[in-house]
């Protein structure tokens, strides 16, 4: 049987592929509670012309609506790219239990690459994390997106 981290990251990759089809930066996210996907999203920054429409923020909003609470205490978040500062902060504030991500983002990643917001001692909540889950698949999708963008 496939590891649950792989299963849920594949679901996040499906969301990233949807973003790719919309000519959005291909980042996909799912939020899981009790081994069930309760929210899924992909980037919609370009489609909605809104810099806040990152996959993670959309998924957090959907998950909060689903469980009728902003506290996502028993939830895990799977995302195809290391979260930025804005998204990592939202994970802390929403009390996400654990974050799994695919590719590292050495220029904008705030879960270890540039800094790590999830473990800041000044904040009232810590979020555990694991990076590199299906990183090659996530990275390939991102590279293909930017290769296609440069062609057009």
């Amino acid at each position: 049987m496939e590891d649950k981290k792989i299963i849920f990251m594949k679901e996040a990759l499906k969301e990233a592929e949807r973003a790719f089809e919309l000519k959005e930066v291909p980042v996909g996210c799912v939020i899981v509670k009790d081994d069930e996907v309760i929210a899924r999203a992909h980037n919609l920054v370009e489609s909605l012309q809104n810099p806040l429409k990152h996959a993670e923020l959309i998924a957090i909003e959907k998950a909060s609506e689903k469980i009728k609470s902003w506290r996502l205490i028993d939830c895990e978040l799977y995302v195809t790219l290391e979260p930025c500062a804005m998204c990592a902060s939202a994970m802390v504030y929403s009390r996400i239990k654990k974050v799994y991500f695919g590719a590292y983002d050495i220029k904008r990643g705030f879960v270890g690459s540039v800094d790590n917001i999830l473990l800041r001692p000044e904040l009232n909540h810590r979020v555990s994390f694991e990076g590199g889950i299906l990183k090659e698949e996530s990275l390939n999708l991102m590279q293909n997106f930017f290769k296609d963008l440069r062609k057009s």
Side-chain angles (χ1 to χ4, degrees), residues 37-82:
V37 174
I38 62 166
R40 56 180 63 241
H42 51 271
N43 273 2
L44 289 173
V45 171
E46 294 297 330
S47 300
L48 299 176
Q49 288 299 293
N50 185 333
L52 303 177
K53 295 303 179 182
H54 287 203
E56 300 97 308
L57 297 182
I58 297 168
I60 287 170
E61 185 174 12
K62 287 180 176 182
S64 295
E65 288 172 8
K66 172 90 173 178
I67 68 169
K68 297 180 179 20
S69 176
W70 62 268
R71 292 178 186 90
L72 303 177
I73 295 167
D74 294 321
C75 297
E76 297 175 331
L77 186 145
Y78 293 79
V79 64
T80 57
L81 183 66
E82 180 182 356

Side-chain angles (χ1 to χ4, degrees), residues 16-17 35-36 42 50-51 82 85-86 97 108-109 114 142 148 151:
E17 289 165 1
D35 292 330
E36 178 187 338
H42 51 271
N50 185 333
E82 180 182 356
M86 175 176 67
K97 179 180 177 180
R108 292 170 298 280
V114 175
M142 193 68 68
D148 288 356
K151 284 180 190 172

Side-chain angles (χ1 to χ4, degrees), residues 80-136:
T80 57
L81 183 66
E82 180 182 356
C84 69
M86 175 176 67
C87 293
S89 294
M91 292 167 198
V92 171
Y93 289 120
S94 64
R95 312 293 199 273
I96 291 281
K97 179 180 177 180
K98 186 161 185 174
V99 172
Y100 297 93
F101 66 89
Y104 288 83
D105 187 343
I106 60 169
K107 293 182 179 178
R108 292 170 298 280
F110 275 76
V111 182
S113 291
V114 175
D115 196 347
N116 194 333
I117 290 174
L118 301 186
L119 297 179
R120 297 296 298 210
E122 304 88 354
L123 301 175
N124 65 337
H125 180 72
R126 309 288 175 287
V127 180
S128 61
F129 64 93
E130 183 178 340
I133 312 298
L134 297 181
K135 70 178 178 183
E136 293 303 319

